[in-house]
Amino acid sequence: MDGNGRWAKRRHLPRVLGHQRGVEAVRRTVRAGVELGLSALTLYAFSTENWRRPEDEVSALMGLLKRFIMADLEEFASNNIRLKIIGDISAFAPDIIELIEQARARTADNTGMVMAIALNYGSQDEIARAARAAAAKGEITPETISAELDTADLPPLDLIIRTSGEVRLSNFLMWQAAYAEMLFLDVLWPDFGREHLEEAMAEYARRERRFGGR
Ligand code: IPE
Ligand code: MG
């Protein structure tokens, strides 16, 4: 989800307003994902590198995360959404951790779309943690590492969409992306909505996936 800052800058608005509108785009996209029948939707909300941003922006993002979960939890629950977190949230403030744990518990038995939110997430950190866990149990192989990744219980990754015109992964699902399709859109995240998700799914359907075969 990239481009909140540029969206705000173009309008001569404070960055945090871009993030606020970004939350609206998350709501639209989650609703659309449920309606379009996605089994899982993973949102890259806060990376291991985002701590480098100014403190006021970091705390604004944390505040938005809190408000999003509090305001939308009932909607997730009634839409059969299961909340999952990838990343290491132990670095977050206790009140946020508690809120996340409550939301996770409240939606744990839901069987519909998994909404995975990447928080304090970075692929390199995830792979290092998974490799340590795999080593502690025995052999290190692609399979034993995969089984320890934060995404172990998610379906295989089909499609990565990055908004804002940047063409890089930025430490997102790098292991899982081995054979994923990728789509880089020139849309700024606050402008993203159902029509973009539908178009992305149509583009995905046009791709031919061979997984190294022929
Ligand atoms: C959102 O967009 C990314 C988050 C950390 C949620 P940015 O804040 O990276 O926006 P740009 O890249 O400055 O436009
Ligand atoms: Mg950015």
Side-chain angles (χ1 to χ4, degrees):
M1 302 186 282
D2 199 12
N4 295 351
R6 279 162 282 174
W7 185 94
K9 192 169 180 186
R10 277 183 201 174
R11 287 163 180 78
H12 307 284
L13 296 168
R15 284 183 72 83
V16 63
L17 250 99
H19 293 313
Q20 272 172 29
R21 296 294 287 263
V23 176
E24 293 304 318
V26 169
R27 292 199 168 102
R28 290 195 294 272
T29 306
V30 169
R31 283 178 194 143
V34 170
E35 285 166 20
L36 296 168
L38 297 189
S39 50
L41 175 70
T42 303
L43 300 155
Y44 200 6
F46 195 85
S47 75
T48 47
E49 288 73 34
N50 284 149
W51 297 108
R52 293 182 197 149
R53 295 193 178 197
E55 210 181 295
D56 60 338
E57 185 173 351
V58 171
S59 63
L61 287 168
M62 296 292 158
L64 284 170
L65 169 69
K66 250 169 90 169
R67 260 175 285 155
F68 170 62
I69 293 177
M70 289 194 293
D72 288 35
L73 181 57
E74 285 318 307
E75 187 178 329
F76 305 153
S78 59
N79 279 309
N80 202 17
I81 292 173
R82 179 163 70 88
L83 173 69
K84 178 181 168 66
I85 303 297
I86 64 170
D88 175 14
I89 58 164
S90 66
F92 284 21
D95 60 329
I96 297 189
I97 295 176
E98 194 181 313
L99 186 68
I100 290 170
E101 294 304 349
Q102 282 169 2
R104 200 148 48 179
R106 171 88 168 82
T107 63
D109 295 329
N110 287 351
T111 55
M113 188 180 83
V114 180
M115 178 180 71
I117 308 182
L119 294 171
N120 191 26
Y121 175 87
S123 268
Q124 293 177 341
D125 176 67
E126 178 194 34
I127 294 166
R129 286 187 283 109
R132 271 199 300 275
K137 289 183 186 170
E139 251 195 314
I140 298 189
T141 66
E143 292 72 29
T144 62
I145 290 179
S146 290
E148 300 295 340
L149 293 172
D150 298 348
T151 55
D153 64 340
L154 287 178
L157 179 60
D158 290 323
L159 175 66
I160 294 185
I161 304 170
R162 182 171 187 150
T163 57
S164 91
E166 308 289 354
V167 185
R168 54 175 172 268
L169 280 180
S170 299
N171 210 4
F172 186 57
L173 300 180
M174 297 193 302
W175 177 287
Q176 297 84 344
Y179 278 101
E181 296 297 322
M182 298 192 195
L183 188 57
F184 299 93
L185 299 179
D186 270 325
V187 182
L188 299 175
W189 176 252
D191 293 325
F192 192 90
R194 185 192 177 104
E195 65 279 19
H196 300 100
L197 186 62
E198 283 181 6
E199 185 41 51
M201 289 169 73
E203 169 61 24
Y204 173 79
R206 288 191 284 271
R207 306 262 178 106
E208 191 194 344
R209 304 182 78 191
R210 290 189 295 273
F211 300 95
R214 52 172 291 203

